[in-house]
CSV table of all heavy atoms in Angstrom, one decimal:
chain,number,residue,atom,x,y,z
A,1,MET,N,52.6,94.2,-128.7
A,1,MET,CA,52.3,93.6,-130.0
A,1,MET,C,52.0,92.1,-129.8
A,1,MET,O,52.7,91.4,-129.1
A,1,MET,CB,53.5,93.8,-130.9
A,1,MET,CG,53.2,93.3,-132.3
A,1,MET,SD,52.2,94.6,-133.2
A,1,MET,CE,52.4,94.0,-134.9
A,2,LYS,N,50.9,91.7,-130.4
A,2,LYS,CA,50.5,90.3,-130.3
A,2,LYS,C,50.4,89.7,-131.8
A,2,LYS,O,50.1,90.4,-132.7
A,2,LYS,CB,49.2,90.1,-129.6
A,2,LYS,CG,49.2,90.6,-128.2
A,2,LYS,CD,47.9,90.5,-127.6
A,2,LYS,CE,47.9,91.0,-126.2
A,2,LYS,NZ,48.7,90.2,-125.2
A,3,THR,N,50.7,88.4,-131.9
A,3,THR,CA,50.6,87.8,-133.2
A,3,THR,C,49.9,86.4,-133.0
A,3,THR,O,50.0,85.8,-131.9
A,3,THR,CB,52.0,87.5,-133.8
A,3,THR,OG1,52.7,86.6,-133.1
A,3,THR,CG2,52.8,88.8,-134.0
A,4,LEU,N,49.3,86.0,-134.1
A,4,LEU,CA,48.7,84.6,-134.1
A,4,LEU,C,49.0,84.1,-135.5
A,4,LEU,O,48.6,84.7,-136.5
A,4,LEU,CB,47.2,84.7,-133.8
A,4,LEU,CG,46.4,83.4,-134.0
A,4,LEU,CD1,46.9,82.3,-133.0
A,4,LEU,CD2,45.0,83.7,-133.7
A,5,SER,N,49.7,82.9,-135.5
A,5,SER,CA,49.9,82.3,-136.8
A,5,SER,C,48.7,81.5,-137.2
A,5,SER,O,48.2,80.7,-136.5
A,5,SER,CB,51.1,81.4,-136.6
A,5,SER,OG,51.2,80.4,-137.7
A,6,CYS,N,48.3,81.7,-138.4
A,6,CYS,CA,47.1,81.0,-139.0
A,6,CYS,C,47.4,79.5,-139.0
A,6,CYS,O,46.5,78.7,-138.7
A,6,CYS,CB,46.8,81.6,-140.4
A,6,CYS,SG,45.1,81.2,-140.9
A,7,ARG,N,48.7,79.2,-139.2
A,7,ARG,CA,49.0,77.8,-139.3
A,7,ARG,C,48.8,77.1,-137.9
A,7,ARG,O,48.4,76.0,-137.8
A,7,ARG,CB,50.5,77.6,-139.7
A,7,ARG,CG,50.9,76.2,-140.0
A,7,ARG,CD,52.3,76.2,-140.6
A,7,ARG,NE,52.4,76.9,-141.9
A,7,ARG,CZ,52.0,76.3,-143.1
A,7,ARG,NH1,51.5,75.1,-143.1
A,7,ARG,NH2,52.2,77.0,-144.2
A,8,ASP,N,49.2,77.8,-136.8
A,8,ASP,CA,49.0,77.3,-135.5
A,8,ASP,C,47.5,77.1,-135.2
A,8,ASP,O,47.1,76.2,-134.4
A,8,ASP,CB,49.5,78.3,-134.4
A,8,ASP,CG,51.0,78.3,-134.4
A,8,ASP,OD1,51.6,77.4,-135.0
A,8,ASP,OD2,51.6,79.2,-133.7
A,9,ALA,N,46.7,77.8,-135.9
A,9,ALA,CA,45.2,77.7,-135.7
A,9,ALA,C,44.7,76.5,-136.5
A,9,ALA,O,43.5,76.2,-136.4
A,9,ALA,CB,44.5,79.0,-136.1
A,10,GLY,N,45.6,75.8,-137.2
A,10,GLY,CA,45.1,74.6,-137.9
A,10,GLY,C,44.9,74.7,-139.4
A,10,GLY,O,44.4,73.8,-140.0
A,11,PHE,N,45.3,75.9,-140.0
A,11,PHE,CA,45.2,76.0,-141.4
A,11,PHE,C,46.5,75.9,-142.1
A,11,PHE,O,47.5,76.2,-141.6
A,11,PHE,CB,44.6,77.4,-141.7
A,11,PHE,CG,43.2,77.6,-141.1
A,11,PHE,CD1,43.1,78.3,-139.9
A,11,PHE,CD2,42.1,77.1,-141.7
A,11,PHE,CE1,41.8,78.5,-139.3
A,11,PHE,CE2,40.9,77.3,-141.1
A,11,PHE,CZ,40.7,78.0,-140.0
A,12,ASP,N,46.5,75.4,-143.3
A,12,ASP,CA,47.7,75.4,-144.2
A,12,ASP,C,47.8,76.7,-144.8
A,12,ASP,O,47.5,76.9,-146.0
A,12,ASP,CB,47.5,74.2,-145.2
A,12,ASP,CG,48.8,74.0,-146.0
A,12,ASP,OD1,49.8,74.5,-145.5
A,12,ASP,OD2,48.7,73.4,-147.1
A,13,CYS,N,48.4,77.6,-144.1
A,13,CYS,CA,48.4,79.0,-144.5
A,13,CYS,C,49.5,79.8,-143.7
A,13,CYS,O,49.7,79.5,-142.5
A,13,CYS,CB,47.0,79.6,-144.1
A,13,CYS,SG,46.9,81.4,-144.2
A,14,ASP,N,50.2,80.7,-144.4
A,14,ASP,CA,51.3,81.4,-143.8
A,14,ASP,C,51.0,82.7,-143.3
A,14,ASP,O,51.8,83.5,-142.9
A,14,ASP,CB,52.5,81.5,-144.8
A,14,ASP,CG,53.2,80.2,-145.1
A,14,ASP,OD1,53.3,79.4,-144.1
A,14,ASP,OD2,53.5,79.9,-146.2
A,15,TYR,N,49.7,83.0,-143.3
A,15,TYR,CA,49.3,84.4,-142.8
A,15,TYR,C,49.6,84.6,-141.3
A,15,TYR,O,49.4,83.6,-140.5
A,15,TYR,CB,47.8,84.6,-143.0
A,15,TYR,CG,47.3,86.0,-142.8
A,15,TYR,CD1,47.6,87.0,-143.7
A,15,TYR,CD2,46.5,86.3,-141.7
A,15,TYR,CE1,47.1,88.3,-143.5
A,15,TYR,CE2,46.1,87.6,-141.4
A,15,TYR,CZ,46.4,88.6,-142.4
A,15,TYR,OH,45.9,89.8,-142.1
A,16,LEU,N,50.1,85.7,-141.0
A,16,LEU,CA,50.4,86.0,-139.6
A,16,LEU,C,49.5,87.2,-139.2
A,16,LEU,O,49.6,88.3,-139.7
A,16,LEU,CB,51.9,86.4,-139.4
A,16,LEU,CG,52.3,86.6,-138.0
A,16,LEU,CD1,52.3,85.2,-137.2
A,16,LEU,CD2,53.8,87.1,-137.9
A,17,ILE,N,48.6,86.9,-138.2
A,17,ILE,CA,47.7,88.0,-137.7
A,17,ILE,C,48.4,88.8,-136.7
A,17,ILE,O,49.1,88.2,-135.8
A,17,ILE,CB,46.5,87.3,-137.1
A,17,ILE,CG1,45.8,86.4,-138.2
A,17,ILE,CG2,45.5,88.3,-136.6
A,17,ILE,CD1,45.1,85.2,-137.6
A,18,GLN,N,48.3,90.1,-136.8
A,18,GLN,CA,49.0,91.0,-135.9
A,18,GLN,C,48.1,92.0,-135.3
A,18,GLN,O,47.2,92.5,-136.0
A,18,GLN,CB,50.2,91.7,-136.6
A,18,GLN,CG,51.2,90.7,-137.1
A,18,GLN,CD,52.4,91.4,-137.8
A,18,GLN,OE1,52.9,92.4,-137.2
A,18,GLN,NE2,52.9,91.0,-138.9
A,19,GLY,N,48.4,92.4,-134.1
A,19,GLY,CA,47.5,93.4,-133.5
A,19,GLY,C,48.1,93.9,-132.1
A,19,GLY,O,49.0,93.2,-131.6
A,20,GLU,N,47.6,95.0,-131.6
A,20,GLU,CA,48.0,95.4,-130.3
A,20,GLU,C,47.3,94.7,-129.2
A,20,GLU,O,47.9,94.6,-128.1
A,20,GLU,CB,47.8,97.0,-130.2
A,20,GLU,CG,48.7,97.8,-131.1
A,20,GLU,CD,50.2,97.6,-130.8
A,20,GLU,OE1,50.5,97.5,-129.6
A,20,GLU,OE2,50.9,97.6,-131.7
A,21,THR,N,46.1,94.3,-129.4
A,21,THR,CA,45.3,93.7,-128.4
A,21,THR,C,44.7,92.4,-128.9
A,21,THR,O,44.7,92.1,-130.1
A,21,THR,CB,44.2,94.6,-127.9
A,21,THR,OG1,43.3,94.8,-129.0
A,21,THR,CG2,44.7,95.9,-127.4
A,22,GLU,N,44.1,91.6,-128.0
A,22,GLU,CA,43.4,90.4,-128.4
A,22,GLU,C,42.2,90.7,-129.3
A,22,GLU,O,41.9,90.0,-130.2
A,22,GLU,CB,42.9,89.7,-127.2
A,22,GLU,CG,43.8,88.6,-126.6
A,22,GLU,CD,43.3,87.9,-125.4
A,22,GLU,OE1,42.1,88.0,-125.2
A,22,GLU,OE2,44.1,87.2,-124.8
A,23,GLU,N,41.6,91.9,-129.0
A,23,GLU,CA,40.5,92.3,-129.8
A,23,GLU,C,40.9,92.5,-131.3
A,23,GLU,O,40.2,92.2,-132.2
A,23,GLU,CB,39.8,93.6,-129.3
A,23,GLU,CG,39.0,93.3,-128.0
A,23,GLU,CD,39.9,93.1,-126.8
A,23,GLU,OE1,41.1,93.7,-126.8
A,23,GLU,OE2,39.5,92.3,-125.9
A,24,ASP,N,42.1,93.2,-131.4
A,24,ASP,CA,42.6,93.4,-132.8
A,24,ASP,C,42.9,92.1,-133.5
A,24,ASP,O,42.6,91.9,-134.7
A,24,ASP,CB,44.0,94.2,-132.7
A,24,ASP,CG,43.8,95.6,-132.3
A,24,ASP,OD1,42.7,96.1,-132.4
A,24,ASP,OD2,44.8,96.2,-131.9
A,25,ILE,N,43.4,91.1,-132.7
A,25,ILE,CA,43.8,89.8,-133.3
A,25,ILE,C,42.5,89.2,-133.8
A,25,ILE,O,42.4,88.6,-134.9
A,25,ILE,CB,44.4,88.9,-132.3
A,25,ILE,CG1,45.8,89.5,-131.9
A,25,ILE,CG2,44.6,87.5,-132.8
A,25,ILE,CD1,46.9,89.3,-132.8
A,26,PHE,N,41.4,89.2,-133.0
A,26,PHE,CA,40.2,88.5,-133.4
A,26,PHE,C,39.5,89.3,-134.5
A,26,PHE,O,38.9,88.6,-135.4
A,26,PHE,CB,39.3,88.4,-132.2
A,26,PHE,CG,39.6,87.2,-131.4
A,26,PHE,CD1,40.4,87.2,-130.3
A,26,PHE,CD2,39.0,86.0,-131.7
A,26,PHE,CE1,40.7,86.1,-129.5
A,26,PHE,CE2,39.3,84.8,-131.0
A,26,PHE,CZ,40.1,84.9,-129.9
A,27,ARG,N,39.7,90.6,-134.6
A,27,ARG,CA,39.0,91.3,-135.7
A,27,ARG,C,39.8,91.0,-137.0
A,27,ARG,O,39.1,90.7,-138.0
A,27,ARG,CB,39.1,92.8,-135.4
A,27,ARG,CG,38.1,93.6,-136.2
A,27,ARG,CD,38.2,95.1,-135.9
A,27,ARG,NE,38.1,95.4,-134.5
A,27,ARG,CZ,39.1,96.0,-133.8
A,27,ARG,NH1,40.2,96.4,-134.4
A,27,ARG,NH2,39.0,96.2,-132.5
A,28,ASP,N,41.1,91.1,-137.0
A,28,ASP,CA,41.9,90.9,-138.2
A,28,ASP,C,41.8,89.4,-138.6
A,28,ASP,O,41.6,89.1,-139.7
A,28,ASP,CB,43.3,91.3,-137.9
A,28,ASP,CG,44.2,91.2,-139.1
A,28,ASP,OD1,43.7,91.5,-140.2
A,28,ASP,OD2,45.4,91.0,-139.0
A,29,GLY,N,41.9,88.5,-137.6
A,29,GLY,CA,41.9,87.1,-137.8
A,29,GLY,C,40.5,86.7,-138.3
A,29,GLY,O,40.4,85.8,-139.2
A,30,GLY,N,39.5,87.3,-137.8
A,30,GLY,CA,38.1,86.9,-138.2
A,30,GLY,C,37.9,87.3,-139.7
A,30,GLY,O,37.3,86.6,-140.4
A,31,GLN,N,38.4,88.5,-140.0
A,31,GLN,CA,38.3,89.0,-141.4
A,31,GLN,C,39.1,88.1,-142.3
A,31,GLN,O,38.6,87.7,-143.4
A,31,GLN,CB,38.8,90.4,-141.4
A,31,GLN,CG,38.3,91.2,-142.6
A,31,GLN,CD,36.8,91.4,-142.6
A,31,GLN,OE1,36.2,91.7,-141.6
A,31,GLN,NE2,36.2,91.1,-143.8
A,32,HIS,N,40.3,87.7,-141.9
A,32,HIS,CA,41.1,86.9,-142.7
A,32,HIS,C,40.5,85.5,-142.9
A,32,HIS,O,40.4,85.0,-144.0
A,32,HIS,CB,42.5,86.7,-142.1
A,32,HIS,CG,43.3,85.6,-142.7
A,32,HIS,ND1,43.9,85.7,-143.9
A,32,HIS,CD2,43.7,84.4,-142.2
A,32,HIS,CE1,44.5,84.5,-144.2
A,32,HIS,NE2,44.4,83.7,-143.1
A,33,ALA,N,40.0,84.9,-141.8
A,33,ALA,CA,39.4,83.6,-141.9
A,33,ALA,C,38.1,83.6,-142.8
A,33,ALA,O,37.9,82.7,-143.6
A,33,ALA,CB,39.0,83.1,-140.5
A,34,LEU,N,37.4,84.7,-142.8
A,34,LEU,CA,36.2,84.9,-143.6
A,34,LEU,C,36.6,85.0,-145.1
A,34,LEU,O,36.1,84.3,-145.9
A,34,LEU,CB,35.5,86.1,-143.1
A,34,LEU,CG,34.2,86.4,-143.8
A,34,LEU,CD1,33.1,85.5,-143.3
A,34,LEU,CD2,33.7,87.9,-143.6
A,35,ASN,N,37.6,85.8,-145.3
A,35,ASN,CA,38.0,86.1,-146.7
A,35,ASN,C,38.7,84.9,-147.4
A,35,ASN,O,38.5,84.6,-148.5
A,35,ASN,CB,38.9,87.4,-146.8
A,35,ASN,CG,38.1,88.6,-146.5
A,35,ASN,OD1,36.9,88.7,-146.6
A,35,ASN,ND2,38.8,89.7,-146.1
A,36,ASP,N,39.7,84.3,-146.6
A,36,ASP,CA,40.6,83.4,-147.2
A,36,ASP,C,40.2,81.9,-146.9
A,36,ASP,O,40.6,81.0,-147.6
A,36,ASP,CB,42.0,83.6,-146.7
A,36,ASP,CG,42.6,84.9,-147.3
A,36,ASP,OD1,41.8,85.6,-148.0
A,36,ASP,OD2,43.8,85.1,-147.1
A,37,HIS,N,39.4,81.7,-145.9
A,37,HIS,CA,39.1,80.3,-145.5
A,37,HIS,C,37.6,80.0,-145.5
A,37,HIS,O,37.2,78.9,-145.2
A,37,HIS,CB,39.7,80.0,-144.2
A,37,HIS,CG,41.2,80.1,-144.1
A,37,HIS,ND1,42.0,79.4,-145.0
A,37,HIS,CD2,42.0,80.9,-143.4
A,37,HIS,CE1,43.3,79.8,-144.7
A,37,HIS,NE2,43.3,80.7,-143.8
A,38,GLY,N,36.8,81.0,-145.8
A,38,GLY,CA,35.3,80.8,-145.8
A,38,GLY,C,34.7,80.5,-144.5
A,38,GLY,O,33.7,79.9,-144.4
A,39,ILE,N,35.4,80.9,-143.4
A,39,ILE,CA,34.9,80.7,-142.1
A,39,ILE,C,34.0,81.9,-141.6
A,39,ILE,O,34.4,83.0,-141.7
A,39,ILE,CB,36.0,80.4,-141.1
A,39,ILE,CG1,36.7,79.1,-141.5
A,39,ILE,CG2,35.5,80.3,-139.7
A,39,ILE,CD1,38.0,78.9,-140.7
A,40,ARG,N,32.8,81.6,-141.2
A,40,ARG,CA,31.9,82.6,-140.8
A,40,ARG,C,32.0,82.9,-139.3
A,40,ARG,O,32.5,82.1,-138.6
A,40,ARG,CB,30.5,82.2,-141.1
A,40,ARG,CG,30.2,82.1,-142.6
A,40,ARG,CD,29.0,81.2,-142.9
A,40,ARG,NE,29.2,79.9,-142.3
A,40,ARG,CZ,28.2,79.0,-142.1
A,40,ARG,NH1,27.0,79.3,-142.4
A,40,ARG,NH2,28.5,77.8,-141.5
A,41,ARG,N,31.5,84.1,-139.0
A,41,ARG,CA,31.6,84.5,-137.6
A,41,ARG,C,30.9,83.5,-136.6
A,41,ARG,O,31.4,83.2,-135.5
A,41,ARG,CB,30.8,85.8,-137.4
A,41,ARG,CG,31.4,87.0,-138.1
A,41,ARG,CD,31.7,88.2,-137.2
A,41,ARG,NE,32.5,89.1,-138.0
A,41,ARG,CZ,33.8,89.4,-137.8
A,41,ARG,NH1,34.4,88.8,-136.8
A,41,ARG,NH2,34.4,90.3,-138.5
A,42,GLU,N,29.9,82.9,-137.1
A,42,GLU,CA,29.2,81.9,-136.2
A,42,GLU,C,30.0,80.6,-136.0
A,42,GLU,O,29.6,79.8,-135.2
A,42,GLU,CB,27.7,81.6,-136.7
A,42,GLU,CG,27.7,81.2,-138.1
A,42,GLU,CD,27.4,82.4,-139.1
A,42,GLU,OE1,27.9,83.5,-138.8
A,42,GLU,OE2,26.6,82.2,-140.1
A,43,ASP,N,31.0,80.4,-136.9
A,43,ASP,CA,31.9,79.3,-136.7
A,43,ASP,C,32.9,79.5,-135.6
A,43,ASP,O,33.5,78.5,-135.1
A,43,ASP,CB,32.6,79.0,-138.0
A,43,ASP,CG,31.7,78.5,-139.1
A,43,ASP,OD1,30.7,77.8,-138.8
A,43,ASP,OD2,32.0,78.8,-140.3
A,44,PHE,N,33.0,80.7,-135.1
A,44,PHE,CA,33.9,81.0,-134.0
A,44,PHE,C,33.2,80.7,-132.7
A,44,PHE,O,32.6,81.6,-132.0
A,44,PHE,CB,34.4,82.5,-134.0
A,44,PHE,CG,35.5,82.7,-135.0
A,44,PHE,CD1,35.2,83.0,-136.4
A,44,PHE,CD2,36.8,82.7,-134.6
A,44,PHE,CE1,36.2,83.2,-137.3
A,44,PHE,CE2,37.8,82.9,-135.6
A,44,PHE,CZ,37.5,83.2,-136.9
A,45,THR,N,33.1,79.5,-132.3
A,45,THR,CA,32.5,79.0,-131.1
A,45,THR,C,33.3,79.4,-129.9
A,45,THR,O,34.5,79.7,-130.1
A,45,THR,CB,32.3,77.5,-131.1
A,45,THR,OG1,33.6,76.9,-131.2
A,45,THR,CG2,31.5,77.0,-132.3
A,46,PRO,N,32.7,79.5,-128.7
A,46,PRO,CA,33.5,79.8,-127.5
A,46,PRO,C,34.7,78.9,-127.4
A,46,PRO,O,35.8,79.3,-127.0
A,46,PRO,CB,32.5,79.6,-126.4
A,46,PRO,CG,31.2,79.9,-127.0
A,46,PRO,CD,31.3,79.4,-128.4
A,47,LYS,N,34.5,77.6,-127.7
A,47,LYS,CA,35.6,76.7,-127.5
A,47,LYS,C,36.7,77.0,-128.5
A,47,LYS,O,37.9,76.9,-128.2
A,47,LYS,CB,35.1,75.2,-127.8
A,47,LYS,CG,35.9,74.2,-127.2
A,47,LYS,CD,35.3,72.8,-127.4
A,47,LYS,CE,36.3,71.7,-127.0
A,47,LYS,NZ,36.0,70.4,-127.6
A,48,PHE,N,36.4,77.3,-129.8
A,48,PHE,CA,37.4,77.6,-130.8
A,48,PHE,C,38.1,78.9,-130.4
A,48,PHE,O,39.3,79.0,-130.5
A,48,PHE,CB,36.7,77.8,-132.1
A,48,PHE,CG,37.6,77.9,-133.3
A,48,PHE,CD1,38.7,77.1,-133.4
A,48,PHE,CD2,37.4,78.9,-134.3
A,48,PHE,CE1,39.6,77.3,-134.5
A,48,PHE,CE2,38.3,79.0,-135.4
A,48,PHE,CZ,39.4,78.2,-135.5
A,49,ASN,N,37.4,79.9,-129.9
A,49,ASN,CA,38.0,81.1,-129.4
A,49,ASN,C,39.0,80.9,-128.3
A,49,ASN,O,40.0,81.5,-128.3
A,49,ASN,CB,36.9,82.1,-128.9
A,49,ASN,CG,36.1,82.8,-130.1
A,49,ASN,OD1,36.6,82.8,-131.2
A,49,ASN,ND2,35.0,83.3,-129.8
A,50,GLU,N,38.6,80.0,-127.4
A,50,GLU,CA,39.5,79.7,-126.3
A,50,GLU,C,40.8,79.1,-126.8
A,50,GLU,O,41.9,79.4,-126.4
A,50,GLU,CB,38.9,78.7,-125.3
A,50,GLU,CG,37.9,79.3,-124.3
A,50,GLU,CD,38.5,80.5,-123.6
A,50,GLU,OE1,39.6,80.3,-123.0
A,50,GLU,OE2,37.9,81.6,-123.6
A,51,LYS,N,40.7,78.2,-127.8
A,51,LYS,CA,41.9,77.6,-128.4
A,51,LYS,C,42.7,78.7,-129.1
A,51,LYS,O,43.9,78.7,-128.9
A,51,LYS,CB,41.4,76.6,-129.5
A,51,LYS,CG,42.5,75.8,-130.1
A,51,LYS,CD,42.0,75.0,-131.3
A,51,LYS,CE,43.2,74.7,-132.2
A,51,LYS,NZ,42.8,74.2,-133.5
A,52,LEU,N,42.1,79.6,-129.8
A,52,LEU,CA,42.8,80.6,-130.5
A,52,LEU,C,43.6,81.5,-129.5
A,52,LEU,O,44.7,81.9,-129.7
A,52,LEU,CB,41.9,81.5,-131.3
A,52,LEU,CG,41.3,80.8,-132.5
A,52,LEU,CD1,40.3,81.7,-133.3
A,52,LEU,CD2,42.4,80.2,-133.5
A,53,LYS,N,42.9,81.9,-128.4
A,53,LYS,CA,43.5,82.7,-127.4
A,53,LYS,C,44.8,82.2,-126.8
A,53,LYS,O,45.7,82.9,-126.6
A,53,LYS,CB,42.5,83.0,-126.2
A,53,LYS,CG,41.7,84.2,-126.3
A,53,LYS,CD,40.8,84.4,-125.1
A,53,LYS,CE,39.7,85.4,-125.4
A,53,LYS,NZ,38.8,85.6,-124.3
A,54,ALA,N,44.8,80.9,-126.6
A,54,ALA,CA,45.9,80.2,-126.1
A,54,ALA,C,47.1,80.2,-127.1
A,54,ALA,O,48.3,80.0,-126.7
A,54,ALA,CB,45.6,78.7,-125.8
A,55,LEU,N,46.8,80.5,-128.4
A,55,LEU,CA,47.9,80.5,-129.4
A,55,LEU,C,48.4,81.8,-129.7
A,55,LEU,O,49.4,82.0,-130.4
A,55,LEU,CB,47.3,79.9,-130.7
A,55,LEU,CG,46.8,78.4,-130.7
A,55,LEU,CD1,46.1,78.1,-132.0
A,55,LEU,CD2,48.0,77.5,-130.5
A,56,ILE,N,47.8,82.9,-129.1
A,56,ILE,CA,48.3,84.2,-129.3
A,56,ILE,C,49.6,84.4,-128.6
A,56,ILE,O,49.8,84.1,-127.4
A,56,ILE,CB,47.3,85.3,-128.8
A,56,ILE,CG1,46.0,85.2,-129.7
A,56,ILE,CG2,47.8,86.7,-128.9
A,56,ILE,CD1,44.9,86.1,-129.2
A,57,ARG,N,50.6,85.0,-129.3
A,57,ARG,CA,51.9,85.2,-128.7
A,57,ARG,C,52.2,86.7,-128.5
A,57,ARG,O,51.8,87.5,-129.4
A,57,ARG,CB,53.0,84.6,-129.6
A,57,ARG,CG,53.0,83.2,-129.7
A,57,ARG,CD,54.1,82.7,-130.6
A,57,ARG,NE,53.7,81.4,-131.2
A,57,ARG,CZ,54.2,81.0,-132.4
A,57,ARG,NH1,55.1,81.7,-133.0
A,57,ARG,NH2,53.8,79.9,-132.9
A,58,ASP,N,52.9,87.0,-127.4
A,58,ASP,CA,53.3,88.4,-127.2
A,58,ASP,C,54.7,88.5,-127.8
A,58,ASP,O,55.6,87.7,-127.5
A,58,ASP,CB,53.3,88.7,-125.7
A,58,ASP,CG,51.9,89.0,-125.2
A,58,ASP,OD1,51.4,90.0,-125.6
A,58,ASP,OD2,51.4,88.2,-124.4
A,59,ILE,N,54.9,89.6,-128.6
A,59,ILE,CA,56.3,89.8,-129.1
A,59,ILE,C,56.7,91.2,-128.8
A,59,ILE,O,55.9,92.0,-128.5
A,59,ILE,CB,56.4,89.5,-130.6
A,59,ILE,CG1,55.4,90.4,-131.4
A,59,ILE,CG2,56.1,88.0,-130.9
A,59,ILE,CD1,55.6,90.4,-132.9
B,101,ZN,ZN1,44.9,81.8,-143.1
């Protein structure tokens, strides 16, 4: 199980993204960012993705 805190990603938000794999995290997180923060897929630059990957925690 992996989690990524939206707050760790730099948002003032308590949403916790959860998934079995990094792909799940990016799918769920991408959807959440789109719906709740107005961030589009094209805003997920390789550099931003790398930053997010480093923030994913194994629990
Ligand atoms: Zn959020």
Side-chain angles (χ1 to χ4, degrees):
M1 186 79 167
K2 295 176 185 295
T3 67
L4 172 62
S5 161
C6 199
R7 190 173 296 281
D8 286 348
F11 298 100
D12 185 18
C13 171
D14 288 323
Y15 189 74
L16 190 66
I17 301 149
Q18 299 183 41
E20 290 301 320
T21 65
E22 269 183 12
E23 288 73 32
D24 289 342
I25 296 282
F26 274 92
R27 198 178 314 117
D28 188 29
Q31 199 62 46
H32 166 71
L34 183 75
N35 291 341
D36 289 7
H37 302 300
I39 294 172
R40 295 159 302 165
R41 296 233 173 252
E42 53 266 36
D43 292 326
F44 282 85
T45 61
K47 200 176 170 198
F48 188 45
N49 284 340
E50 281 306 309
K51 183 192 159 192
L52 292 178
K53 265 186 198 177
L55 296 171
I56 294 173
R57 290 181 214 156
D58 281 295
I59 57 166

